[in-house]
Amino acid sequence: MLHDSIHRKITYLRISVTDRCNLRCVYCLPKQGVVKLERREILSYEELLRLVRIGVELGLTKIRITGGEPLIRDGITSLIRAVSAVPGIQDLALTTNGTLLKELAKDLAGAGLHRVNVSLDTLEPGKYKLITRGGNLDQVLEGIGAAKEAGLHPVKVNMVVIRGVNDTEAGDFLRFAKEYETEVRFIEFMPYFHNEHFWGWDKVVPRDEIWKNLDADKHLVPRLQTLLTGPSTLYTFKDGQGSIGFIAPLSRRFCDRCNRLRLTADGALLGCLFGSGGVDIKTPLRRGADDNFLKNMFIQAAGKKPHRHHISKITTPLPSMGRSMSCIGG
Ligand code: SAM
C-alpha cells in the first residue's frame, strides 16, 4: 500500500495524457508563447498502461485521465479500454472541456470509462467564446447531454469562479444543476504557472462569498461525503435533483484529505499540484527498469508529497514550477 510521510493513504492517480488543448482559456494559458512538449517527451500508451498496472498493484483504485484536453489525443478510447481492463480499478474518470464528447461519449462508455467531469465556466455563448478564446458553448452542452445518454454517470460540471468574469453566473449554474440533474462544482481560482498574466487575489471569489451570493442556506443541504467525493464539499437541493459542490483550495485547504499522485504528460510523478518536488519516472521506465524499481519510484513520489500547499500566502503565481496546468493535468 502507498502511504506518504504523514500516513495519508494514496489511492488516486491523475494522469495528464497530453499538454495540448483545443481551447485556450484566458485564465489557464496565455494566447501565445507556450512551448509544447515534443511528441517523444510524452509518455506512450504502453508506458502509461505499465505505470497504471504498477500503481494499482500498490493500492491505487481510482484513475483520472486529464490533460491538456485528453479527448484530442489519438486513440484515447483504446487507452481507456486498456486501463479499464486492469483489475483493481474501482473508479475510472476523465476530465474534459466537453467539446468532443458528443462524438466520443458512447465509445468512451463502451470502452469502460465510468464517468466524466466537464469544465464549463459560463452559460453565455459570447462569454464562452471569449473565455475559451474561440470555443462553442453548444458543443459542450450537447457533449454533456451525450455523456448522460451514454451512461457516464455522474456527469459533473466544474466552474472556476473568477471575479469580474463569471461570478455573477453562480446562480445560473445552481439552476443548471437542478435542471440537468447534474453536479456543479464551484472551484476557487488558483494561481498557477502560465496564468500569471491573469491571476490576482482580487479575482479570487472565496467559497463563503459564493455561498452567500447563492443564498445557499435556502436551497441546499449537506450531503454525505465519501472518499469518492474527493476534495469537494457536497450539497443536495432541498427541492429537486442535482447537487452542488465547492472546491476551495485557497479558503478551505483540504490537504489533510489528499489521496492523490499526479503523472504529468512528460512522465513525472508529483505529489501536489503546487509542489516542486516529484520524481522523474520516465527515464528509468525508458531505460528498462523492472517493475520493482518503478514501484519504488511511486513510493518515493508518495514520500515526497508535501504535507500541505502554501498557495494561500503567495502574491504571484509560481513560475518556478515550470509546468503548465495542462501538462500536469488540472
Ligand atoms: N481540458 C480539460 C478540461 O478542460 O477539463 C482538462 C484540463 S483543465 C487544465 C482541468 C481543469 O483545470 C479545468 O476544469 C479548468 O477549469 C481547471 N483550471 C485550470 N486553471 C485553473 C486555475 N487557475 N484555477 C482553478 N482551476 C483551474
Side-chain angles (χ1 to χ4, degrees):
M1 288 297 126
L2 268 181
H3 286 94
D4 70 3
S5 61
I6 51 170
H7 310 294
R8 285 171 299 192
K9 196 171 157 192
I10 310 299
T11 54
Y12 176 16
L13 181 65
R14 296 175 66 101
I15 302 174
S16 172
V17 295
T18 177
D19 62 330
R20 320 273 159 114
C21 191
N22 56 346
L23 297 179
R24 209 159 187 85
C25 298
V26 289
Y27 64 86
C28 188
L29 289 171
K31 197 171 178 182
Q32 286 160 341
V34 178
V35 182
K36 289 182 186 148
L37 292 171
E38 302 266 347
R39 189 161 289 269
R40 65 185 158 72
E41 292 179 72
I42 294 177
L43 292 179
S44 69
Y45 286 161
E46 290 72 25
E47 290 169 332
L48 287 174
L49 192 61
R50 182 161 174 222
L51 294 180
V52 167
R53 282 210 188 95
I54 288 170
V56 170
E57 281 173 27
L58 283 166
L60 299 180
T61 55
K62 173 173 173 177
I63 304 285
R64 175 176 301 281
I65 306 295
T66 177
E69 175 46 46
L71 298 188
I72 63 172
R73 182 155 172 189
D74 283 345
I76 190 69
T77 313
S78 63
L79 176 72
I80 297 289
R81 183 169 294 108
V83 171
S84 76
V86 176
I89 296 174
Q90 292 165 17
D91 189 21
L92 177 56
L94 179 137
T95 297
T96 173
N97 59 35
T99 52
L100 298 172
L101 261 183
K102 189 178 170 198
E103 291 83 52
L104 290 174
K106 215 169 155 191
D107 290 348
L108 290 166
L113 184 69
H114 297 158
R115 60 193 183 88
V116 284
N117 287 9
V118 180
S119 307
L120 178 60
D121 303 308
T122 174
L123 295 170
E124 297 173 18
K127 200 191 278 185
Y128 185 79
K129 200 168 184 179
L130 281 177
I131 292 180
T132 57
R133 294 199 180 97
N136 177 345
L137 176 63
D138 283 342
Q139 271 181 343
V140 183
L141 296 177
E142 287 171 15
I144 292 173
K148 288 184 83 172
E149 214 166 285
L152 292 169
H153 179 79
V155 177
K156 299 183 185 179
V157 172
N158 290 343
M159 181 211 190
V160 180
V161 186
I162 305 174
R163 195 183 308 284
V165 174
N166 61 357
D167 52 326
T168 53
E169 285 190 67
D172 298 334
F173 274 89
L174 190 98
R175 286 181 282 282
F176 180 91
K178 227 182 197 181
E179 204 174 302
Y180 275 69
E181 298 187 0
T182 185
E183 181 177 315
V184 168
R185 291 138 33 110
F186 297 111
I187 304 177
E188 286 178 349
F189 182 32
M190 296 181 276
Y192 214 70
F193 179 61
H194 270 149
N195 79 359
E196 52 274 27
H197 62 292
F198 196 81
W199 186 87
W201 280 111
D202 55 335
K203 292 206 175 80
V204 176
V205 188
R207 179 259 180 220
D208 287 356
E209 187 179 329
I210 306 170
W211 180 270
K212 198 165 155 236
N213 291 344
L214 288 171
D215 208 358
D217 283 323
K218 241 192 200 168
H219 308 286
L220 304 176
V221 283
R223 197 177 97 180
L224 193 67
Q225 303 288 133
T226 72
L227 270 183
L228 287 184
T229 57
S232 63
T233 45
L234 283 174
Y235 299 83
T236 47
F237 288 99
K238 287 182 179 167
D239 58 342
Q241 300 296 308
S243 54
I244 295 291
F246 293 86
I247 302 183
L250 292 163
S251 69
R252 295 193 182 191
R253 227 174 348 101
F254 40 79
C255 303
D256 56 334
R257 287 184 279 135
C258 184
N259 61 350
R260 58 186 67 179
L261 288 179
R262 295 170 185 269
L263 181 58
T264 66
D266 58 343
L269 266 180
L270 305 183
C272 176
L273 191 52
F274 300 98
S276 47
V279 303
D280 165 19
I281 198 164
K282 181 173 69 181
T283 303
L285 178 69
R286 290 192 174 169
R287 286 190 182 151
D290 65 16
D291 283 6
N292 275 337
F293 190 95
L294 297 174
K295 265 185 193 161
N296 206 30
M297 304 291 294
F298 271 89
I299 293 166
Q300 273 182 41
K304 284 186 171 185
K305 193 171 163 65
H307 296 187
R308 50 162 293 187
H309 70 65
H310 296 278
I311 51 172
S312 324
K313 293 202 181 112
I314 72 161
T315 48
T316 53
L318 315 162
S320 61
M321 292 164 54
R323 279 190 184 91
S324 61
M325 188 78 104
S326 52
C327 178
I328 296 186

